[in-house]
Amino acid sequence: MAGAPDSVALLLFFVFWRAPAPYAGNTKYNEYNKGALDAVGGKTAGMTMTVSTMQLGVCAAYAIVLWVLSFNPIKLCGLQTPDRQKLPGTKFTDILKTIPVGFCAAAAHSASVFALGGDPLFGQIVKAGEPVLSAIVNTIFYGKPPSLPKWCCLPIIVGGVAFASMKKVEGAYTLKFDMTALQFGLLANAFAAFKGSENKKLMTDKDIKARYGGVGNQYAVTEILAFLISLPVMFYTEGDMWPKFLELLKTSKELQFNLAMSGLAFYLYNELATMTIKTTGAVTASVANTAKRVIVLIYMAAITGKALTDEQKIGAGVAIGGVLIYSVIDDLLAPKKKAA
């Protein structure tokens, strides 16, 4: 591999994936996403689905550009030579089998945009509870329940999210949270779980995997499908707002910039996440993903000017800690292999 050593490249992938670095990372996506939603008038403007769909449109356009150029520059983030990325030799049946992944990707993304548009801070706390929905989905629909130790971690995560929803009023606690952030955050978690399982099921087919020629092509096709699936939903739900959105897009530099950058950041950080998981394994990536929640919460509190309440701080800490334990508990409790 030409360029920096793999160890250095891996460190840089983590930085660009998770840290608040310019033009990259989950943190910057959240900032650009908020900027795009604010530019169209916020959560009450009736254009949230349009913003979500156009972000996927940016992803689809970027994927096509990669195929036109026949190489993917993502490894430059790790100071390594870019890989070639030619148009995959997939069959029509391969695309059909990828549609469930594209549908779940579209639904998870749109639900996340609605959740974060409702309340960027509480939305992140709800999204931290993704393992709970993943456990339910995989148990009911795929017959793959988590281990007993993992099940025992779920009440900690649920309890943390629940406590983050509390607010002390006149000496007593009462539920107070953004319903949009809660409902769509849960939907995003559920569809993310379906996406992960469908994606894993798809890639167990060695022939399809070979025809895609790598995770880069598979991810590109998924994002294009997600965009095409989102389009009719956008026009059905917010079609009457399309002329107004186009006018804003023509005149608002803020919307142009944040829409383009949120779409690009979304594509890049997910691709970097895939590369990191492939290199390090799921446990290390899970720990990094848990740390990300803390970084994003602090960063979004700073740029929104909305401080976390004590209940949100404690609840988020408990939920995120529960996610961390959930991610590593099976490995911690696994019997150690005796040295030969």
Side-chain angles (χ1 to χ4, degrees), residues 39-40 47 50 54 58 242-260:
V40 298
M47 287 185 273
T50 304
M54 291 301 103
V58 172
W242 181 245
K244 183 178 179 180
F245 176 80
L246 284 180
E247 189 60 33
L248 282 171
L249 190 60
K250 292 176 185 176
T251 58
S252 173
K253 298 291 184 183
E254 181 185 1
L255 178 57
Q256 294 169 5
F257 175 79
N258 283 293
L259 193 60

Side-chain angles (χ1 to χ4, degrees), residues 71-144:
F71 78 95
N72 189 335
I74 192 67
K75 284 193 173 181
L76 290 174
C77 293
L79 301 180
Q80 292 187 333
T81 304
D83 288 334
R84 294 186 65 79
Q85 185 164 325
K86 294 183 178 181
L87 194 68
T90 50
K91 298 180 179 179
F92 180 68
T93 53
D94 298 338
I95 303 299
L96 289 178
K97 290 180 180 180
T98 310
I99 288 177
V101 182
F103 174 80
C104 293
H109 176 67
S110 295
S112 293
V113 174
F114 273 95
L116 299 176
D119 185 332
L121 299 182
F122 184 64
Q124 286 291 344
I125 295 172
V126 175
K127 281 172 65 61
E130 184 177 321
V132 178
L133 271 297
S134 179
I136 295 172
V137 166
N138 280 287
T139 299
I140 297 175
F141 295 95
Y142 296 94
K144 295 180 179 179

Side-chain angles (χ1 to χ4, degrees), residues 154-199:
L154 297 184
I156 300 174
I157 302 171
V158 173
V161 174
F163 191 76
S165 308
M166 306 292 285
K167 186 176 181 181
K168 207 168 188 179
V169 179
E170 296 180 355
Y173 280 107
T174 182
L175 285 172
K176 185 175 176 65
F177 52 84
D178 187 285
M179 184 60 73
T180 300
L182 177 64
Q183 291 176 333
F184 282 99
L186 292 175
L187 273 176
N189 289 344
F191 279 112
F194 277 112
K195 175 189 171 185
S197 294
E198 287 298 320
N199 192 52

Side-chain angles (χ1 to χ4, degrees), residues 132 151-162 315 317-323 325:
V132 178
W151 275 117
C152 293
C153 295
L154 297 184
I156 300 174
I157 302 171
V158 173
V161 174
V318 171
I320 292 170
V323 172
I325 297 171

Side-chain angles (χ1 to χ4, degrees), residues 271-323:
E271 192 170 18
L272 284 166
T274 302
M275 293 172 65
T276 304
I277 292 170
K278 185 178 179 181
T279 304
T280 64
V283 174
T284 303
S286 295
V287 174
N289 195 50
T290 303
K292 174 207 70 176
R293 296 292 177 195
V294 180
I295 295 171
V296 171
L297 276 171
I298 295 172
Y299 189 77
M300 291 306 294
I303 68 170
T304 60
K306 182 180 177 182
L308 289 162
T309 65
D310 289 339
E311 291 75 24
Q312 286 179 324
K313 291 176 183 176
I314 296 171
V318 171
I320 292 170
V323 172

